[in-house]
Amino acid sequence: MIFTVIIVLIVSLVLIGVIVNAMQQHKNKVETERRAEVSKQKAIIENTEAALKAADGIPFTQRFLFIMRRRVLIATKALQTVSDGTTNYTQQITSLEEELKTIDITKPAPPEDKFNLPQADKQVIQFIKGIKTLRALLRAEFKKGRLESRVFLAEDKLLERLQLRANVDTLIRRGEVALKNNQLGSARQCLEKAIGALSSQPNQDEYITSRKNQLQQQLSEIESNLKKVNSKDVAEKQESERNELDELFAEKKKW
């Protein structure tokens, strides 16, 4: 009888241990998932804020700004939901909601002719990276179903054009520097790349057409100058070889 009781007690303790262990594992799993979600939402907020900060000088629309600030708001609300209670995000949520109310999404984008590419190469690189990041964030919002197709396409098209202008203007600037240094071959390569970038665009609008015509004219001038330089080099080489031959076969003087 006593033995049976002992067995029952042991089995009961084992079962209790299994149950407690399972509950602890479940608790740990829930906490791990909660922390992962917190990290995810914080990353969304930080990446979006950093992208907007780095985008200083990029003439995007107020509607795009609204989309990005709303992205931060949604992530902050999600953060509040999964918070362990040690941090309250109510004030941040209220502030973001008030900010969204002040953004006029009907305001048109700044004119493209006011677009100014940074002067330093490092700034240009950051500028182009910033545009690429903004396009990636916009695409992420679209995939989550938060944007209509027409809105996504319109905003992405504006950013794509800014990226194109930045790439083309950078190549033109490098080509001008190469010309000043009399590096005609390098200048030609820069212009060819710029023309290629413009030609690859599906919608050949007035800006692209006029820019291409301008660059093709400059390219023709460079190629003409290269031919002149090459012809001159060939003539000088032939003259040098002729002088060597004349000297070689000239009648030797008798002393």
Side-chain angles (χ1 to χ4, degrees):
M1 184 69 179
I2 296 175
F3 180 75
T4 304
V5 172
I6 293 174
I7 294 297
V8 170
L9 287 173
I10 293 173
V11 171
S12 298
L13 289 173
V14 170
L15 287 173
I16 291 171
V18 170
I19 293 171
V20 170
N21 185 55
M23 291 176 64
Q24 185 63 43
Q25 286 182 350
H26 176 70
K27 183 179 178 180
N28 292 341
K29 181 182 178 183
V30 171
E31 178 61 17
T32 300
E33 290 175 350
R34 187 193 70 79
R35 289 182 179 180
E37 186 64 19
V38 168
S39 298
K40 176 185 174 182
Q41 299 304 327
K42 282 185 176 181
I44 290 174
I45 295 169
E46 291 171 1
N47 292 341
T48 307
E49 295 282 13
L52 287 173
K53 185 177 180 181
D56 185 35
I58 298 177
F60 50 73
T61 66
Q62 289 297 295
R63 182 169 60 179
F64 181 85
L65 177 62
F66 178 89
I67 292 168
M68 292 297 105
R69 300 307 293 164
R70 183 183 62 185
R71 175 181 168 86
V72 173
L73 173 61
I74 292 172
T76 306
K77 285 183 175 180
L79 200 57
Q80 176 80 311
T81 302
V82 297
S83 174
D84 59 0
T86 57
T87 306
N88 193 313
Y89 297 93
T90 303
Q91 186 175 351
Q92 290 175 247
I93 291 172
T94 302
S95 178
L96 286 165
E97 288 175 338
E98 291 300 320
E99 180 185 353
L100 288 178
K101 292 178 183 178
T102 65
I103 299 176
D104 183 7
I105 62 174
T106 63
K107 188 176 181 180
E112 285 190 7
D113 55 7
K114 290 187 177 181
F115 166 74
N116 293 315
L117 191 68
Q119 295 299 315
D121 285 346
K122 287 185 178 180
Q123 289 178 318
V124 172
I125 293 172
Q126 291 302 316
F127 186 89
I128 295 175
K129 283 184 177 179
I131 294 176
K132 288 182 177 180
T133 300
L134 293 180
R135 292 184 69 186
L137 295 180
L138 182 69
R139 190 172 294 107
E141 291 300 286
F142 176 65
K143 287 181 178 179
K144 290 177 181 177
R146 297 173 184 168
L147 298 176
E148 296 179 11
S149 295
R150 63 177 183 82
V151 173
F152 167 72
L153 292 173
E155 293 298 328
D156 187 62
K157 184 64 180 177
L158 287 174
L159 292 173
E160 183 184 29
R161 284 185 63 80
L162 289 174
Q163 187 175 332
L164 172 67
R165 290 182 71 116
N167 287 334
V168 170
D169 288 357
T170 300
L171 288 167
I172 291 173
R173 184 184 295 176
R174 289 177 179 175
E176 290 173 349
V177 171
L179 275 177
K180 288 180 181 178
N181 294 329
N182 202 32
Q183 298 170 337
L184 299 181
S186 297
R188 180 179 62 184
Q189 288 179 356
C190 289
L191 293 186
E192 286 175 343
K193 288 180 180 179
I195 293 172
L198 292 168
S199 299
S200 66
Q201 297 302 303
N203 299 318
Q204 297 289 304
D205 57 21
E206 183 179 353
Y207 161 76
I208 293 176
T209 303
S210 61
R211 203 64 162 159
K212 265 200 316 183
N213 291 336
Q214 175 191 350
L215 294 176
Q216 284 170 343
Q217 183 177 352
Q218 292 178 353
L219 183 61
S220 297
E221 293 174 359
I222 290 175
E223 289 177 341
S224 177
N225 289 334
L226 276 171
K227 288 179 181 178
K228 290 179 181 178
V229 170
N230 290 337
S231 298
K232 183 180 178 181
D233 289 343
V234 170
E236 289 178 350
K237 184 178 180 181
Q238 289 176 342
E239 182 63 26
S240 176
E241 291 174 349
R242 187 181 299 110
N243 291 337
E244 290 178 359
L245 286 172
D246 290 344
E247 184 178 349
L248 182 63
F249 293 103
E251 185 178 349
K252 294 182 178 181
K253 293 182 180 181
K254 295 181 181 180
W255 298 93

